[in-house]
């Protein structure tokens, strides 16, 4: 048995994985600078990393993945619970024994000739009671390099595991990278994950989607908290008061941009602080509020579209110590992607000479991995063990039509229905068609580790768990007019909507009561410095009752898939909304 840990379960698991996968050697990761330097040298030697221009981008590397392995693979992602109904219609399901047998056969001898890395990690600040630990075993040095940035990885995490005795087991092998032999399997009851055949982000960095969302959502349900696909930001007013907001948007809908928003010029003295850009764990505090941590330590952001205009803070973070995956490069070896600026790239994301006939130079789902600490707007409260108190929860989607700029749910239960009814046009973050409207409840469709009906019941139960719950809001930055142009400028100007939301939370601003919820009176939105006519604003805030009735029919049809398990309170909310619309 290995002497690398005093935790017997961990030592035994590592030994059994080694027997199955037969690595050439085993390396326990400590997270030290020397270890990172050695790994980087190895990655450069194997060609998994290419150094970028050391003058403009010191410590930055480019990784080009297999062209068949560039996004999450939802059709190959499984929740393996003893009862199929517990995974729900929202997940692919496989019986645990069958799943283990299938994937273990693929792991047999998979690490021959390779190093097996053992990565102890902590999701959340190392000293926070809200944090949870895991161990990822992987044969990919690229995964280790990413996990080092995305989690608190190494010796302190192992010490916590040894103290607490519990951890999530994540086994990952790149296998032969064949999509035919690729599976991402979750065993919530066993608190374990098995992933093979992909080296890409969400499939391979098991702390992120697999642990912090799919397994954690199950853990959160059992333990009375929430694991959500949400950014967390702090909004500081000129008076120095900071409100924290959590917001759920489907993948690649601008969560990173919103989390790092720079207020417009007219908002002197206002400041947005970034706590997290993707995942939020919240639990009721003794004061009855929800307190949240960002379980991650870095950003795995979508590169295309990130620019000085859309997200200056993200861009400022990317000039040192960043891993770029599947971006293009310029002739002086700087990273480049569509939307960055008007330079012409030299090489595309497959390392070919750039030719527009081959499509975009950077893959649309190309990414940067960078420490949160590199971000100029990073909040020091992101390291606070108690987390931050949440004043508002925002749901949003990418909707060209119907859905107004902002509305507020009438109650918590109504808010849960608003979240459950979220829909969005699909993006490149997952494989499959782009631009199709799909239901993405709470932006958790790809990430909820159990039956959505039980998940909504869990959300509804928070009225009994917390006495001072945040307000729930819905936003849509993506509405288009009949000419096909966006009606709202978005980005920094989203601050105007955030200000209204905070005003609602502290009772300083009124609202119009409409059939779908509370909405701003046009004068309540601060439009200083923005060229927008009253007609444009009215169009952005219009409630098309007929359109909403049709939407309600589609929502009812969608929810009906959950049958008897759908909480009665949801049906009740739906019926009362329909009544107020007709
Ligand atoms: C992500 C995603 O990578 O949601 O954050 O796909
Ligand atoms: Mn995400």
């Amino acid at each position: 048995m290995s002497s690398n840990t005093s935790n017997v379960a961990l030592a035994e698991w590592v030994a059994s994985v080694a027997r199955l996968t037969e690595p050439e050697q085993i390396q326990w990761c400590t997270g030290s600078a020397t270890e990172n330097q050695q790994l980087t040298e190895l990655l450069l030697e194997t060609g998994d990393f290419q150094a970028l221009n050391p003058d403009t981008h010191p410590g930055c590397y480019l990784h080009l993945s297999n062209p068949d392995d560039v996004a999450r693979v939802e059709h190959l992602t499984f929740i393996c619970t003893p009862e199929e109904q517990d995974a729900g219609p929202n997940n692919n399901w496989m019986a645990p024994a069958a799943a283990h047998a299938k994937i273990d056969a693929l792991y047999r001898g998979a690490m021959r000739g390779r190093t097996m890395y053992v990565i102890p990690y902590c999701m959340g600040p190392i000293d926070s009671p809200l944090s949870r630990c895991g161990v990822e075993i992987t044969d990919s040095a690229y995964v280790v390099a990413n996990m080092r940035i995305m989690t608190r990885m190494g010796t302190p995490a192992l010490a916590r595991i040894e103290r607490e005795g519990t951890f999530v087991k994540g086994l990952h092998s790149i296998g032969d990278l064949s999509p035919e032999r690729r599976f991402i399997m979750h065993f919530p009851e066993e608190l374990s994950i098995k992933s093979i055949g992909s080296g890409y982000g969400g499939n391979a960095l098991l702390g992120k989607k697999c642990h912090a969302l799919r397994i954690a959502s199950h853990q959160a349900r059992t333990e009375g908290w929430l694991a959500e696909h949400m950014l967390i930001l702090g909004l500081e007013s000129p008076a120095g008061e900071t409100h924290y907001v959590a917001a759920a948007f489907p993948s690649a809908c601008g969560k990173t941009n919103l989390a790092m928003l720079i207020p417009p010029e007219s908002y002197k003295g206002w400041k947005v602080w970034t706590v997290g850009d993707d995942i939020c764990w919240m639990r009721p505090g003794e004061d009855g509020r929800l307190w949240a941590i960002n379980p991650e330590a870095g950003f795995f952001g979508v590169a295309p579209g990130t620019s000085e205009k859309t997200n200056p803070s993200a861009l400022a973070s990317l000039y040192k110590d960043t891993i770029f995956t599947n971006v293009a490069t310029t002739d002086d070896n700087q990273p480049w992607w569509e939307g960055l600026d008007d330079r012409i790239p030299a090489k595309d994301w497959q390392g070919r000479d750039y030719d527009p006939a081959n499509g975009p130079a950077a893959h649309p789902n190309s990414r940067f991995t960078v420490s949160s600490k590199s971000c100029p707007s990073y909040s020091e409260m992101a390291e606070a063990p108690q987390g931050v108190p949440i004043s508002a929860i925002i749901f949003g989607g990418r909707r060209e039509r119907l859905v107004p700029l902002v509305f507020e749910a009438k109650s918590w239960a109504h808010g849960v229905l608003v979240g459950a009814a979220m829909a969005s046009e699909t993006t490149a973050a997952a494989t499959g068609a782009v631009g199709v409207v799909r239901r993405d409840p709470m932006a958790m469709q790809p990430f909820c580790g159990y039956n959505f009906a039980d998940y909504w019941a869990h959300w509804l139960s928070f009225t009994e768990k917390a006495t001072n719950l945040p307000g729930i809001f819905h936003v849509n930055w993506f509405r288009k007019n009949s000419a096909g142009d966006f009606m709202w400028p978005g980005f920094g100007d989203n601050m105007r909507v955030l200000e209204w939301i905070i005003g609602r939370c502290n009772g300083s601003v009124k609202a119009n009561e409409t059939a779908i919820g509370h909405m701003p009176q046009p004068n309540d939105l601060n439009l200083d410095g923005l060229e927008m006519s009253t007609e444009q604003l009215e169009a952005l805030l219009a409630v098309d009752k007929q359109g909403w009735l049709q939407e309600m029919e589609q929502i009812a049809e969608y929810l009906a898939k959950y049958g008897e398990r759908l909480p009665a309170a949801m049906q009740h909310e739906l019926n009362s909304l329909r009544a107020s619309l007709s």
Side-chain angles (χ1 to χ4, degrees):
M1 195 183 298
S2 161
S3 57
N4 293 76
T5 177
S6 60
N7 184 302
V8 177
L10 174 55
E12 282 179 2
W13 174 58
V14 170
S16 74
V17 170
R19 279 194 301 276
L20 178 65
T21 59
E22 300 175 36
E24 190 172 293
Q25 53 181 336
I26 302 178
Q27 184 174 330
W28 288 69
C29 300
T30 61
S32 73
T34 320
E35 174 184 274
N36 188 45
Q37 198 182 332
Q38 283 165 354
L39 266 172
T40 306
E41 277 160 22
L42 177 73
L43 284 158
L44 285 166
E45 227 172 85
T46 56
D48 285 303
F49 267 4
Q50 296 169 37
L52 289 163
N53 187 323
D55 298 323
T56 58
H57 291 77
C60 293
Y61 301 95
L62 170 65
H63 172 78
L64 301 183
S65 49
N66 184 309
D68 277 337
D69 186 28
V70 290
R72 285 185 290 99
V73 281
E74 291 172 17
H75 61 296
L76 301 173
T77 300
F78 290 82
I79 298 294
C80 310
T81 44
E83 298 297 326
E84 181 167 5
Q85 270 307 305
D86 290 336
N90 46 308
N91 281 303
N92 301 315
W93 173 83
M94 213 183 282
H100 281 301
K102 193 174 187 88
I103 203 161
D104 285 355
L106 299 173
Y107 282 129
R108 195 148 296 128
M111 296 191 188
R112 266 179 220 153
R114 300 182 187 167
T115 300
M116 179 175 116
Y117 299 95
V118 181
I119 315 169
Y121 63 86
C122 180
M123 299 311 292
I126 203 91
D127 52 351
S128 168
L130 283 75
S131 301
R132 291 287 180 280
C133 290
V135 177
E136 174 163 358
I137 295 180
T138 179
D139 55 8
S140 159
Y142 165 78
V143 165
V144 182
N146 277 271
M147 285 291 283
R148 183 171 187 274
I149 298 175
M150 295 304 295
T151 71
R152 278 94 173 166
M153 173 266 245
T155 307
L158 182 59
R160 179 164 170 166
I161 290 171
E162 290 174 343
R163 246 187 352 260
E164 289 183 337
T166 52
F167 62 97
V168 169
K169 294 184 184 119
L171 172 54
H172 169 253
S173 169
I174 52 176
D176 61 7
L177 282 181
S178 156
E180 308 300 304
R181 284 174 290 283
R182 180 176 297 162
F183 292 102
I184 325 294
M185 291 176 170
H186 304 75
F187 304 87
E189 264 107 23
E190 300 167 25
L191 298 186
S192 85
I193 305 154
K194 289 184 171 178
S195 162
I196 193 161
S198 166
Y200 169 80
N203 305 327
L205 313 179
L206 301 186
K208 192 174 179 63
K209 304 299 187 181
C210 300
H211 176 164
L213 289 175
R214 297 195 191 98
I215 297 290
S217 60
H218 163 90
Q219 256 183 325
R221 180 187 175 210
T222 353
E223 298 172 6
W225 48 285
L226 290 166
E228 299 301 323
H229 190 202
M230 294 179 177
L231 66 91
I232 309 168
L233 62 81
L235 195 63
E236 186 180 327
S237 72
E241 194 182 305
T242 304
H243 278 276
Y244 294 92
V245 171
F249 295 82
S251 305
C253 283
K255 283 212 301 295
T256 307
N257 294 344
L258 186 61
M260 299 176 189
L261 178 151
I262 306 266
E265 298 242 320
S266 59
Y267 273 79
K268 291 257 169 329
W270 288 84
K271 172 100 186 104
V272 169
W273 296 103
T274 311
V275 178
D277 80 328
D278 196 40
I279 302 181
C280 164
W281 286 357
M282 311 184 255
R283 80 156 62 217
E286 276 168 15
D287 60 357
R289 293 189 287 179
L290 290 185
W291 287 76
I293 58 163
N294 167 18
E296 300 193 281
F299 307 119
F300 183 65
V302 177
T306 307
S307 71
E308 199 50 61
K309 173 173 177 285
T310 62
N311 193 338
S313 292
L315 201 60
S317 321
L318 303 181
Y319 288 99
K320 67 174 175 60
D321 303 330
T322 305
I323 301 171
F324 293 92
T325 301
N326 296 337
V327 300
T329 44
T330 59
D331 54 6
D332 61 348
N333 208 21
Q334 296 190 40
W336 189 90
W337 47 83
E338 275 71 15
L340 175 61
D341 53 35
D342 52 14
R343 283 174 297 170
I344 306 290
K347 300 272 184 205
D348 74 6
W349 68 276
Q350 298 190 58
R352 302 174 296 199
D353 287 340
Y354 173 60
D355 177 352
N358 289 330
H363 187 276
N365 192 34
S366 52
R367 301 279 177 146
F368 51 79
T369 319
V370 69
S371 165
S372 312
K373 291 191 173 140
S374 296
C375 177
S377 59
Y378 188 53
S379 164
E380 59 181 36
M381 290 305 289
E383 303 291 334
Q386 77 278 18
V388 294
I390 298 296
S391 301
I393 289 176
I394 304 177
F395 294 122
R398 190 182 275 275
R399 295 293 297 269
E400 282 190 18
R401 277 176 279 281
L402 186 70
V403 184
L405 181 63
V406 59
F407 64 92
E408 180 189 3
K410 302 172 196 176
S411 65
W412 182 261
H414 176 213
V416 174
L417 177 66
V418 168
M422 258 172 74
S424 194
E425 289 135 25
T426 50
T427 67
T431 51
V434 168
V436 180
V437 172
R438 79 162 181 179
R439 295 277 150 208
D440 191 352
M442 278 84 169
M444 286 287 277
Q445 167 54 48
F447 307 121
C448 181
Y450 61 102
N451 191 319
F452 259 152
D454 300 339
Y455 169 76
W456 298 320
H458 182 51
W459 264 82
L460 289 164
S461 76
F462 275 75
T463 48
E464 286 138 43
K465 293 186 169 76
T467 49
N468 196 359
L469 286 166
I472 299 183
F473 297 80
H474 190 284
V475 300
N476 178 23
W477 318 133
F478 300 94
R479 186 109 170 239
K480 288 188 175 167
N481 60 20
S482 49
D485 302 319
F486 286 112
M487 293 164 73
W488 178 251
F491 304 111
D493 287 302
N494 294 337
M495 174 70 209
R496 304 171 189 279
V497 176
L498 293 180
E499 187 195 6
W500 183 78
I501 288 175
I502 294 306
R504 289 297 295 160
C505 294
N506 63 23
S508 65
V509 62
K510 293 209 169 50
N512 277 339
E513 313 261 325
T514 78
I516 60 165
H518 307 310
M519 295 187 55
Q521 299 172 346
N523 289 341
D524 286 338
L525 275 183
N526 177 349
L527 298 183
D528 274 6
L530 191 66
E531 269 179 44
M532 179 160 291
S533 67
T534 320
E535 293 74 49
Q536 282 169 316
L537 185 61
E538 277 168 2
L540 269 168
L541 294 174
V543 177
D544 161 11
K545 283 197 176 184
Q546 229 23 59
W548 273 101
L549 271 171
Q550 276 166 22
E551 177 86 0
M552 290 300 153
E553 288 325 303
Q554 285 161 20
I555 294 169
E557 209 174 293
Y558 171 75
L559 294 179
K561 285 206 302 197
Y562 293 86
E564 296 282 286
R565 234 154 142 143
L566 186 73
M570 302 263 298
Q571 195 58 55
H572 173 81
E573 287 299 322
L574 189 65
N575 292 345
S576 65
L577 267 176
R578 276 160 151 168
S580 51
L581 281 161
S582 41

